[in-house]
Amino acid sequence: MKHPLTKARAALRRRPVRTVTVAVVLLAVGATGAAEYTVRHHIHDRVAKAAPGLGDDVAVGIAGGWALWDLAHEGIPRLDVSSDDARVGRLSHVRVRARLDDVRLGETTTVGAAHADVTVSTQSLAAAIRGAVPSVAVAAVTTDPATGTVLADVGPGGLGRLTLRPVLADGKVTLAVDGLTLFGRSVPTDRLGIGAGGFGPQSGAPKEYPLGLAATSAEVRPDGLHVSLTGGPSTLPDS
């Protein structure tokens, strides 16, 4: 049986080895963490540049693992992109939740497929109407899911009712004027300074959506307008 003093000396000899080992592990973990942060920042930067309309609060998440691990296998299975302050045409403060599949980084960053759900609140719709026709006072904006329309109380005291209907054409969604009433009677839209087609399909519509996305559905719900978009293979700008 070893003497207690002998055991103590052996333990002291092992301690420097353990200390060095722990230090090496910590350095390796720190370097890996720094590299992971750099890769994630690079991915976030490319997505933000590809879709500047997503705004400053855009968040990009790597689904299911580490970006470094995915890069080692030459691809990222999925990116989750979100923003609560996006802008699409005249619409601001739009909520976006997007999914990018099979993302591959290289000299050119490619996306195998994309899907996005966009929510335009009634407040955002009201701001868009005010921006498009500054001369028209907008008291409130509500929705009527049963008829699939957006209703805006306009004019002095909100006595007029402007009805808008989402139009899905060529992969884009816009709001078209469906009618205007004053005291419950139909009147021409020019009575409030809104010409025919003032909110028509080409009014403020972007030439194309980012990331190869095209609108596939537009649904009026109690909280606003919900739009679904899908896209096939596309590329992200590198600068």
Side-chain angles (χ1 to χ4, degrees), residues 91 125 129 141-152 161-169 172-180 189 197-203 218-220 224-227:
L91 301 171
L125 292 169
I129 297 171
V141 170
T142 57
T143 62
D144 184 353
T147 60
T149 56
V150 175
L151 309 174
R161 169 63 61 87
L162 179 66
T163 303
L164 304 171
R165 186 179 299 277
V167 175
L168 175 59
K172 300 178 183 62
V173 175
T174 54
L175 291 173
V177 176
D178 202 43
L180 174 65
T189 55
F199 292 90
Q202 301 304 318
S203 182
E219 182 182 359
V220 175
L225 178 63
H226 290 248
V227 180

Side-chain angles (χ1 to χ4, degrees), residues 40-67:
R40 285 176 178 266
H41 180 74
H42 179 63
I43 294 170
H44 176 280
D45 212 33
R46 287 198 174 183
V47 172
K49 288 177 180 178
L54 289 173
D56 295 331
D57 74 336
V58 59
V60 180
I62 312 294
W66 285 55

Side-chain angles (χ1 to χ4, degrees), residues 13-64:
R13 285 195 298 269
R14 289 195 297 269
R15 186 175 298 171
V17 175
R18 290 175 180 172
T19 302
V20 170
T21 301
V22 170
V24 170
V25 170
L26 289 176
L27 286 173
V29 170
T32 301
E36 175 73 12
Y37 173 81
T38 299
V39 171
R40 285 176 178 266
H41 180 74
H42 179 63
I43 294 170
H44 176 280
D45 212 33
R46 287 198 174 183
V47 172
K49 288 177 180 178
L54 289 173
D56 295 331
D57 74 336
V58 59
V60 180
I62 312 294

Side-chain angles (χ1 to χ4, degrees), residues 44-45 78 80 96 119 133 147 172 191 203:
H44 176 280
D45 212 33
R78 191 180 95 207
D80 294 320
V96 175
T119 302
V133 192
T147 60
K172 300 178 183 62
R191 291 284 298 274
S203 182

Side-chain angles (χ1 to χ4, degrees), residues 46 71 73-76 101-106 108-112:
R46 287 198 174 183
L71 283 181
H73 291 77
E74 300 182 348
I76 300 173
D101 293 317
D102 190 20
V103 179
R104 298 185 176 274
L105 294 177
T108 299
T109 303
T110 62
V111 177

